[in-house]
Amino acid sequence: MRRPAARAIEGQELALVGVLAVLWLVLGLTTDTFFTAGNLGAILFNVAPIALIGIGMTAVIVTAGIDVSVGSAVAVVMVIVAKLIHDGGTPMPVAVLVALGVGALLGLVNGGLVAYGRIHPIIVTFATLNIFRFVALQIFDGRQVTGIPDTLGFFGGGGEGRLLGVPNAWLLAVVLAAIMWFYMRAWPTGRHLYAIGGDAQAARLAGVRVRRRQLFAYVLTGALVGLAGCVFIGTGGLVIQNAGEGLELQVIAAVVIGGTSIVGGRGTVLGTMLGALLVGTVTSAVTLLGWPSELTTLFVGVFILVAVGVDLLRARRRGTL
């Protein structure tokens, strides 16, 4: 029988912990600044938006779905909230609620089309990636938003956005990840997400409300996109027109590297958090070692291929592929 500790952390998560430990040891020995408080704080802050959205994306991919529109959705959230703060002096609680609401609404569009429109998730979210980007550009009205007041500084990377040197955005991601981990592991409706990803038809026959759970996963991802938008806005007084571009690849990379099966039915939020940390560590390493920034993309791509390869081998062994 597997011990409780072993059940709490799975094989790929243990492998990620090992990879991170080796990377941190090597970087600590080869650079003077990796283990400084400033660099570690920067890594945690930079991966916080990826981790936040990754929490929802894990639920989506576990149900055998995917959402490639999150980068464009972040742009929509950011430009709306930034304009509200800039033009109307909107206070933080209202700005956060608006961000959550707009993000959830965009997730509702994706989830509704996937669950009730029965359109493949990649087609739906690839279409909305372009539609959301168009909407964001229309709201931008050809100009970036500058001079945004520091209303969302609590989520930013400055002094107001840290607790004992740790970014609030990262602490928020850890708390939400713990809640989601418990939900997916121990709560019946959370376990339904795995059942849907394993075999949606069997889950439906067993009484699982498949469409409702799928809709929940996309709406949750949208709401977390809203929180990630608050983190980005809290970073500075500027929102540019290409905000969020490429973010979807980083989020999906973190989820897949973290061990979530791309064909659904398997994965944990803990793995996603570790995957986000690995992406952030690689980015920091490339910078500290003075290597070309393009190598970050190469390394992340290699990690994704390895993770997907391992996942497919496991699926073939189980006879599910």
Side-chain angles (χ1 to χ4, degrees), residues 191-225:
R191 299 293 303 171
H192 289 170
L193 300 175
Y194 292 101
I196 294 168
D199 188 333
Q201 182 62 21
R204 186 176 290 107
L205 292 174
V208 174
R209 294 179 173 177
V210 173
R211 294 177 184 176
R212 189 174 294 187
R213 303 290 175 262
Q214 289 175 317
L215 186 65
F216 163 77
Y218 284 93
V219 172
L220 173 68
T221 302
L224 293 170
V225 160

Side-chain angles (χ1 to χ4, degrees), residues 17-271:
V17 171
V19 170
L20 281 169
V22 171
L23 267 179
W24 290 345
L25 178 62
V26 171
L27 289 169
L29 293 174
T30 56
T31 68
D32 298 326
T33 54
F34 180 76
F35 278 122
T36 60
N39 184 60
L40 294 177
I43 291 175
L44 294 180
F45 179 72
N46 289 332
V47 301
I50 300 172
L52 283 169
I53 302 174
I55 294 168
M57 188 71 79
T58 303
V60 166
I61 295 181
V62 161
T63 63
I66 198 163
D67 186 348
V68 300
S69 71
V70 292
S72 296
V74 161
V76 174
V77 170
M78 288 179 66
V79 68
I80 289 176
V81 174
K83 280 182 173 288
L84 284 174
I85 294 174
H86 181 271
D87 299 339
T90 304
M92 184 179 81
V94 177
V96 173
L97 287 176
V98 170
L100 290 172
V102 172
L105 179 61
L106 299 180
L108 183 65
V109 172
N110 284 332
L113 290 171
V114 170
Y116 294 94
R118 299 188 179 184
I119 307 173
H120 195 283
I122 191 68
I123 295 174
V124 168
T125 57
F126 185 71
T128 54
L129 175 152
N130 292 282
I131 294 169
F132 293 165
R133 181 63 60 181
F134 174 80
V135 170
L137 291 174
Q138 294 305 302
I139 301 172
F140 268 113
D141 195 23
R143 297 186 299 274
Q144 58 191 13
V145 185
T146 60
I148 305 168
D150 195 26
T151 303
L152 294 174
F154 175 84
F155 296 95
E160 187 184 349
R162 292 173 184 256
L163 178 64
L164 301 176
V166 181
N168 293 334
W170 174 253
L171 295 174
L172 180 62
V174 170
V175 171
L176 292 178
I179 295 171
M180 192 63 184
W181 182 88
F182 177 78
Y183 173 72
M184 293 180 71
R185 285 273 178 166
W187 210 257
T189 53
R191 299 293 303 171
H192 289 170
L193 300 175
Y194 292 101
I196 294 168
D199 188 333
Q201 182 62 21
R204 186 176 290 107
L205 292 174
V208 174
R209 294 179 173 177
V210 173
R211 294 177 184 176
R212 189 174 294 187
R213 303 290 175 262
Q214 289 175 317
L215 186 65
F216 163 77
Y218 284 93
V219 172
L220 173 68
T221 302
L224 293 170
V225 160
L227 272 183
C230 292
V231 174
F232 284 124
I233 296 172
T235 303
L238 172 71
V239 176
I240 57 179
Q241 296 185 36
N242 64 346
E245 281 188 357
L247 180 62
E248 60 277 356
L249 296 179
Q250 294 176 294
V251 173
I252 293 170
V255 175
V256 172
I257 291 171
T260 296
S261 174
I262 199 69
V263 294
R266 184 175 176 279
T268 70
V269 173
L270 175 59

